[in-house]
């Protein structure tokens, strides 16, 4: 690969903010200097008036993933192309163990599916069957396969949920081996009772998804997860945190100095449970877990982002189409037309995360530009064992770079997206701030509306120790 120079951009990292040129060679940042002379064969990109930020790191996606009887609609090719257009150049995606099988087999299958990725990819493992052998396999995943994070579920009894003993064993092993547990924290058995009672009373509409998953049961599970991780002396990462009660427990733990971390997602920051009152079956588009909450929870989440009680904003991109059976899929949101508990839980977000957080966070909620980069790139890269290769612009780092126009106003439209999903949670929302160019390891992959990348160019990321901030 030749030499590329990005000239005159305002480089913003989690800690810096200055105007300079960047010389890229062999896929990495080679030189950063105020004025880099340009040779004849150099590829030059003028970034005057643009912000130059490290490629986004989204550590919570579900691409081409089977969830119960449903399957997410994005392939690795479509989902990662959507990521790139949204300014994200690394995703860490969830693969899973099949009960009765080794998690190593789940990773092998994931590698086959992810071969078409257009941006760099890492894998977390969802543990569904914790026993002596699978605990040994976890060690092998950590030390040989670059998988240093594991998701466990405290929800979905009989399907995904692990009991507290299995959680304790997994956490202890993770802590002893430089890994971290990512927890889906909701009290599954209590929620199951509420779901059964709602259905028995004839309450089948999408809004009952929200009414049967109370915030207090998220708070209870987060508290329990923290206590088990404290005993097992392991770092803990709470995924998709949505509720004030949950945040309170995380804040208390962090104040005690425990290695407890948490992410929230754009939908919890910008939408509320009023979406479930939409007419017809429209509320199903917003059925994700945990559900959308009230405005007061949302305000607490913004406070948590500003005080670093929340360290990451990821998408939980888990796209199921609204319309029935597109792309030959067997399932869609319509599966739950007569029973909210059958609506596949999940929503899209990969393509809109970075601009939404710039618009809503920097422009409208007082986040600094540095904090915006930290939340969407640097902090996830550090916590998930990717830093400093990813998550910053520095000499020696991968040249994953986004040129971002802070002033361009545009409107979010699902039919302009690159994801295969047929709706956006943010349809019609006007935002200011737009991704203009994206480089993956120095190669231009997004140039305005044009796709310049290739399927399969994404590289697997062997991740190092997790839980380090
Ligand atoms: N949790 C996730 O993280 N994604 C999809 C559904 C769920 O319960
Ligand atoms: Zn989850
Ligand atoms: Zn998820």
């Amino acid at each position: 690969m030749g030499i590329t120079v990005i000239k005159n951009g305002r480089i913003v990292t989690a800690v810096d903010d200055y105007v300079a040129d960047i010389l890229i060679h062999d896929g990495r940042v080679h030189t950063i200097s105020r004025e880099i002379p340009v040779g004849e064969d150099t590829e030059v990109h003028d970034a005057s008036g643009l912000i130059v930020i490290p490629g986004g790191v989204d550590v919570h996606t579900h691409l081409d993933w089977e969830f119960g009887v449903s399957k997410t609609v994005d392939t690795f090719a479509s989902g990662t192309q959507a990521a790139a257009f949204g300014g994200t150049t690394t995703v860490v995606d969830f693969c899973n163990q099949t009960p009765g099988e080794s998690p190593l087999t789940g990773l092998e299958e994931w590698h086959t599916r992810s071969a078409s990725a257009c941006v760099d990819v890492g894998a977390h493992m969802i543990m569904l069957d914790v026993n002596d052998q699978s605990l040994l396999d976890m060690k092998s995943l950590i030390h040989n396969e670059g998988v240093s994070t594991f998701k466990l579920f405290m929800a979905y009894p009989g399907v995904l949920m692990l009991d507290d003993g299995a959680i304790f064993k997994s956490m202890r092993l993770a802590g002893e081996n430089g890994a971290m547990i990512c927890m889906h924290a909701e009290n599954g058995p209590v929620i199951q009772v509420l779901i059964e009672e709602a259905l028995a009373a004839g309450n089948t509409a999408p809004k009952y998804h929200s009414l049967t998953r109370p915030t207090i049961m998220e708070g209870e599970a987060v508290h329990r997860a923290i206590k088990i991780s404290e005993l097992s002396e392991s770092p803990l990462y709470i995924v998709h945190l949505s509720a004030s009660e949950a945040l309170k427990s995380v804040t208390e733990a962090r104040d005690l100095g425990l290695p407890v971390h948490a992410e929230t997602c754009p939908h919890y920051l910008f939408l509320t449970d009023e979406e479930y009152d939409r007419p017809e079956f429209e509320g199903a588009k917003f059925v994700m877990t945990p559900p959308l909450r009230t405005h007061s929870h949302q305000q607490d989440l913004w406070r948590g982002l500003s005080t670093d009680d929340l360290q990451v904003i990821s998408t939980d991109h888990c796209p199921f189409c609204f319309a029935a059976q597109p792309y030959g899929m067997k399932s869609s949101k319509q599966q739950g037309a007569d029973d909210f508990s059958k609506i596949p839980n999940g929503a899209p977000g990969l393509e809109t995360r970075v601009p939404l957080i710039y618009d809503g966070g920097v422009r409208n909620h007082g986040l600094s530009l540095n904090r915006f980069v930290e939340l969407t790139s640097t902090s996830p890269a550090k916590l998930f064992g990717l830093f400093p290769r990813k998550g910053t612009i520095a000499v020696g780092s991968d040249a994953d770079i986004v040129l971002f126009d802070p002033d361009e106003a545009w409107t979010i439209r699902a039919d302009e997206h690159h994801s295969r999903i047929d709706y956006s949670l943010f349809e019609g929302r006007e935002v200011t701030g737009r991704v203009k160019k994206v480089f993956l390891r120095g190669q231009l992959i997004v140039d305005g509306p044009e796709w310049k990348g290739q399927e399969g160019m994404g590289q697997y990321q062997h991740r190092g120790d997790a839980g380090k901030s």
Side-chain angles (χ1 to χ4, degrees):
M1 198 188 284
I3 289 175
T4 301
V5 173
I6 299 172
K7 287 202 83 64
N8 299 315
R10 178 178 170 192
I11 300 169
V12 179
T13 68
V15 290
D16 299 310
D17 188 342
Y18 56 99
V19 174
D21 298 349
I22 302 170
L23 188 146
I24 300 165
H25 183 52
D26 264 349
R28 297 196 173 185
V29 174
H30 180 278
T31 311
I32 303 175
S33 174
R34 182 60 200 89
E35 184 72 52
I36 296 178
V38 174
E40 268 195 2
D41 295 337
T42 307
E43 181 181 322
V44 181
H45 297 268
D46 183 17
S48 305
L50 303 178
I51 296 177
V52 180
I53 53 178
V57 177
D58 187 345
V59 291
H60 192 151
T61 68
H62 302 269
L63 301 174
D64 200 359
W65 184 57
E66 279 181 25
F67 185 24
V69 295
S70 312
K71 191 175 186 197
T72 55
V73 69
D74 270 322
T75 61
F76 276 84
S78 67
T80 54
Q81 196 179 123
F85 275 98
T88 290
T89 49
T90 305
V91 302
V92 187
D93 187 78
F94 286 94
C95 54
N96 63 272
Q97 175 192 24
T98 300
E101 291 181 17
S102 166
L104 291 159
T105 311
L107 180 65
E108 221 175 281
E109 286 162 5
W110 179 91
H111 275 302
T112 306
R113 285 182 289 121
S114 66
S116 63
C118 310
V119 302
D120 288 352
V121 286
H124 316 274
M125 179 58 65
I126 299 175
M127 297 298 294
L128 296 177
D129 188 356
V130 175
N131 54 48
D132 290 348
Q133 181 57 46
S134 63
L135 286 165
L136 283 177
D137 292 345
M138 276 175 79
K139 269 197 185 179
S140 175
L141 285 165
I142 299 164
H143 299 297
N144 305 326
E145 307 295 336
V147 176
S148 53
T149 43
F150 297 84
K151 184 173 181 186
L152 310 181
F153 283 86
M154 300 170 96
Y156 306 112
V159 189
L160 304 173
M161 191 181 91
L162 296 183
D163 66 32
D164 291 350
I167 288 172
F168 175 56
K169 285 183 187 171
S170 315
M171 280 184 175
R172 193 171 49 191
L173 185 129
E176 286 165 355
N177 288 277
M180 178 166 72
I181 296 300
C182 301
M183 188 63 82
H184 179 127
E186 286 184 300
N187 185 316
V190 171
I191 287 168
Q192 191 56 33
V193 171
L194 296 175
I195 291 172
E196 282 162 16
E197 287 177 357
L199 291 173
N203 295 325
T204 59
K207 76 171 176 188
Y208 290 95
H209 171 72
S210 147
L211 294 172
T212 54
R213 306 191 91 92
T215 58
I216 189 170
M217 286 297 99
E218 185 181 336
E220 183 279 327
V222 166
H223 177 77
R224 185 159 34 106
I226 289 171
K227 289 295 145 194
I228 303 173
S229 75
E230 189 178 352
L231 186 67
S232 53
E233 297 183 10
S234 67
L236 174 66
Y237 181 86
I238 305 293
V239 293
H240 47 49
L241 188 146
S242 70
S244 304
E245 295 91 328
L247 179 60
K248 185 164 176 278
S249 286
V250 169
T251 303
E252 282 167 6
R254 290 178 65 79
D255 288 348
L256 288 172
L258 296 173
V260 173
H261 313 280
E263 66 175 20
T264 192
C265 312
H267 41 266
Y268 303 121
L269 294 168
F270 298 113
L271 304 171
T272 69
D273 58 359
E274 286 171 18
E275 302 294 347
Y276 299 115
D277 296 328
R278 288 188 179 217
E280 308 287 330
F281 188 55
E282 283 272 308
K285 292 178 178 173
F286 301 85
V287 168
M288 74 285 285
T289 310
L292 299 175
R293 307 298 195 184
T294 61
H295 187 62
S296 112
H297 292 275
Q298 197 174 79
Q299 282 178 312
D300 282 341
L301 297 182
W302 282 108
R303 197 272 305 150
L305 290 172
S306 68
T307 55
D308 203 37
D309 290 311
L310 294 170
Q311 296 80 48
V312 174
I313 301 174
S314 64
T315 58
D316 195 0
H317 181 83
C318 189
F320 300 104
C321 282
F322 184 64
Q325 301 171 351
Y327 304 105
M329 314 279 299
K330 282 189 241 118
S331 62
S332 72
K333 294 280 183 184
Q334 302 303 323
Q335 227 171 280
D338 303 318
D339 175 348
F340 71 88
S341 71
K342 295 201 168 77
I343 301 170
N345 287 193
L350 250 176
E351 201 152 350
T352 47
R353 179 184 69 131
V354 170
L356 272 173
I357 301 306
Y358 176 79
D359 180 68
V362 177
R363 288 174 52 88
N364 294 314
H365 269 95
L367 291 185
S368 69
L369 270 177
N370 301 113
R371 183 68 177 148
F372 157 64
V373 170
E374 189 169 36
L375 289 165
T376 54
S377 179
T378 317
S379 175
K382 285 182 177 173
L383 284 169
F384 287 83
L386 290 160
F387 186 84
R389 191 165 75 244
K390 306 293 187 189
T392 194
I393 297 174
V395 172
S397 294
D398 280 356
D400 297 345
I401 294 175
V402 175
L403 307 193
F404 189 82
D405 183 343
D407 299 316
E408 182 171 332
W410 60 290
T411 305
I412 295 176
R413 301 267 180 231
D415 63 8
E416 291 170 15
H417 281 176
H418 301 80
S419 161
R420 302 208 301 176
I421 188 73
D422 59 355
Y423 74 95
S424 168
L425 295 175
F426 300 98
E427 184 69 30
R429 192 181 184 99
E430 290 175 10
V431 291
T432 297
R434 191 164 206 179
V435 171
K436 303 304 288 182
K437 290 188 182 183
V438 178
F439 300 83
L440 177 71
R441 283 176 274 100
Q443 189 175 329
L444 182 68
I445 58 171
V446 169
D447 188 2
E450 264 181 75
W451 175 242
K452 303 260 188 191
Q454 297 103 39
E455 284 186 19
M457 71 183 290
Q459 288 182 356
Y460 178 68
Q461 302 295 302
H462 273 262
R463 293 180 295 117
D465 281 2
K468 307 258 183 287
S469 52

